[in-house]
Amino acid sequence: MSDIDVIIVGAGPAGLTLAAELSLAGVRPLVLEQHLVPRETQKASGIGGRILDHLRFRGLLGRFEELSSDPHIAPRFPFGTLQLDLTQLTDSPMHAMPIAQWEIERLLDAHARDLGAEIRRGHEVLGVRQDDDTVTAEVRGPDGTYAVTARYLVGCDGGRSRVRELAGIGFPGTTYPEVNRLAQVTLPAPVRLLDNGDIDVPGLGVVHAGFTRLDTGVFAFATDPESGITSLMTTENETTEYDDEEPLTLAELGASVRRVLGVDLPMADPKRLSRFTFKDRQAENYRAGRILLAGDAAHLLPATGTALNVGMLDSVNLAWKLAADVQGWAPAGLVDTYHEERHFAGARARLQTRAQVALRRGRDEADEALRQVIQELLQDEPALRRMGALVGHSDIRYPMPGADHHALTGAFAPDLTLHTEQGTTSVAELMHAGRPVFLDLADRPELRAVAREWAPRLDIRAAEADDQPADALLIRPDGHLAWAAPIGEPAGTAAATLRAALAHWFGSPSGA
């Protein structure tokens, strides 16, 4: 019998999130990372959307805020060369936190290790084989090759996933013939920053802040008036295959700016330099027997600011389901719901990033008219709110079995302020342990009696809420609602639907 429950291939954000969530659930993960030391190559520059809510539900959000350059940055985001300005809303459905990916990984690494996860760096997976009960990885480490066996193996090893290839999972989609270069720099004299945020470039004239579309490509920039740091990006049609590990240099960026704008742009003090291409791909299945995929191994999205967040949420969804199976109480088909739910969520992420491709790449007058119409629509609150939720991944409502569900069922649980005999708390605080929670908001003893049949697998809480959305909530470990009782629903109906939901997600009653 192996002393490892789940092998995780890859120590990026998705892999480390999965390791932490599995450890929190009492499962023994092993992370295998082929690189000997953590990489500080600039990739993602922040996290945002629903994953911030999850971090709050685990009590981790403060750790990220401490390392962020602006943890409460105004919610303004690019959307396919348009501007998604959510500051117009009193309660934005999408927030973001600037923080370098290598710092995100360092935080997640420390958190996973604190919970007991084992992380081996410099260990490359060469092969994978599985049978009905286990999966074995052939690994090359610093001291030679060896084999390790576990109940499951999860490939979190990026867009060129070796695990996905070994599992024979198809990865259809499109790679767009363009290269994007992104940087944070200062623009020294003779470039002049104008009061309205535009810049005056010698030999060219005024370049407006935002996106400038030319036959040679796209140039975009914005300058922080307080720090003087300019974030800029170029997009050019190219078919060159770049090594992701080969860093972008200031000279390469300068050459790209010259090709797009036609003049040299003085740049200095680079704070970030990164290069990326846009790929639109999704694994045909997130599971092949005892091998599963998460993060970039499962999907590549053709726009920035989304992939890391979606990948971490894959892991949050998967962890508790694998833990239930390893611990022997998972109902039939529970692990399969990972593909059903997260493939659906990945398709939603592809929908909005594909739309950004159309807005970004179209060059004729009709395309410009489309951009203008959509930008006008985004001035209206309902459209702006809907788009913010789509980009932030906060519009995901997983399909649930049965019929006549409460409107909240399948959605992420609202973070209600709760009043108990012990004092004031919140839904987020109840979820710190990563366990399922039954929350009675209307003193329904008959529903608590049903929930107790699943104890100690289930935490049972009672409280009052200022803004009570339902009589009771059943919250899965990933924060999504498995069930909710409408206010005043008859006892017999509520008890029957609660029992069905508990059995569907958490197996047979504990004493059965």
Side-chain angles (χ1 to χ4, degrees), residues 26-337:
V27 168
R28 300 159 298 179
L30 168 65
V31 181
L32 300 173
E33 168 56 53
Q34 66 173 331
H35 294 92
L36 186 60
V37 296
R39 292 163 292 171
E40 294 189 7
T41 303
Q42 273 287 11
K43 293 184 178 179
S45 59
I47 52 177
R50 179 61 76 203
I51 193 62
L52 295 179
D53 297 318
H54 167 74
L55 293 174
R56 186 172 68 255
F57 272 36
R58 290 294 185 265
L60 298 173
L61 189 60
R63 300 188 199 180
F64 286 79
E65 289 177 337
E66 289 175 0
L67 291 179
S68 174
S69 59
D70 189 353
H72 305 292
I73 191 170
R76 296 186 183 93
F77 309 101
F79 186 82
T81 74
L82 303 182
Q83 181 76 6
L84 196 62
D85 186 358
L86 301 174
T87 61
Q88 303 174 51
L89 305 176
T90 56
D91 54 337
S92 172
M94 166 70 180
H95 291 276
M97 183 187 300
I99 180 172
Q101 181 168 330
W102 68 268
E103 291 193 297
I104 294 171
E105 292 178 4
R106 182 167 63 84
L107 280 171
L108 293 173
D109 182 289
H111 177 54
R113 290 179 190 271
D114 287 346
L115 292 171
E118 181 181 357
I119 301 172
R120 299 178 188 172
R121 295 185 179 273
H123 293 251
E124 180 182 5
V125 173
L126 304 175
V128 174
R129 65 180 185 273
Q130 62 175 316
D131 55 31
D132 291 342
D133 301 312
T134 61
V135 57
T136 299
E138 299 291 336
V139 185
R140 179 170 59 210
D143 299 323
T145 60
Y146 64 95
V148 60
T149 299
R151 294 283 298 279
Y152 287 97
L153 181 147
V154 185
C156 300
D157 52 339
R160 299 180 179 179
S161 171
R162 177 66 172 154
V163 170
R164 186 184 62 237
E165 178 184 343
L166 292 168
I169 298 174
F171 200 45
T174 301
T175 297
Y176 292 95
E178 64 184 46
V179 175
N180 301 268
R181 295 173 176 90
L182 186 66
Q184 291 179 329
V185 296
T186 58
L187 302 179
V191 177
R192 288 193 307 121
L193 176 64
L194 306 181
D195 291 341
N196 62 358
D198 297 344
I199 55 176
D200 188 357
V201 180
L204 181 63
V206 173
V207 181
H208 297 297
F211 291 85
T212 298
R213 307 178 62 84
L214 302 161
D215 291 339
T216 49
V218 176
F219 176 78
F221 80 95
T223 301
D224 182 344
E226 294 185 5
S227 67
I229 294 175
T230 297
S231 297
L232 63 83
M233 184 179 75
T234 64
T235 300
E236 297 180 87
N237 280 348
E238 283 189 57
T239 57
T240 308
E241 283 287 336
Y242 290 93
D243 183 348
D244 290 342
E245 300 306 314
E246 179 185 347
L248 174 68
T249 65
L250 194 60
E252 180 186 333
L253 175 65
S256 178
V257 173
R258 187 183 312 116
R259 289 191 297 269
V260 174
L261 289 182
V263 297
D264 287 313
L265 180 68
M267 294 179 286
D269 305 320
K271 306 297 183 186
R272 176 191 180 188
L273 292 168
S274 62
R275 179 201 315 105
F276 52 92
T277 56
F278 280 132
K279 299 179 177 67
D280 173 25
R281 297 184 180 276
Q282 188 171 27
E284 291 176 337
N285 203 305
Y286 287 9
R287 180 183 185 187
R290 293 190 170 272
I291 300 173
L292 300 105
L293 305 174
D296 286 354
H299 43 71
L300 292 172
L301 306 172
T304 57
T306 300
L308 183 148
N309 309 302
V310 175
M312 291 174 68
L313 290 170
D314 289 342
S315 296
V316 173
N317 183 285
L318 176 59
W320 72 274
K321 297 172 181 178
L322 288 184
D325 192 77
V326 168
Q327 293 165 350
W329 57 262
L334 179 65
V335 176
D336 287 331
T337 66

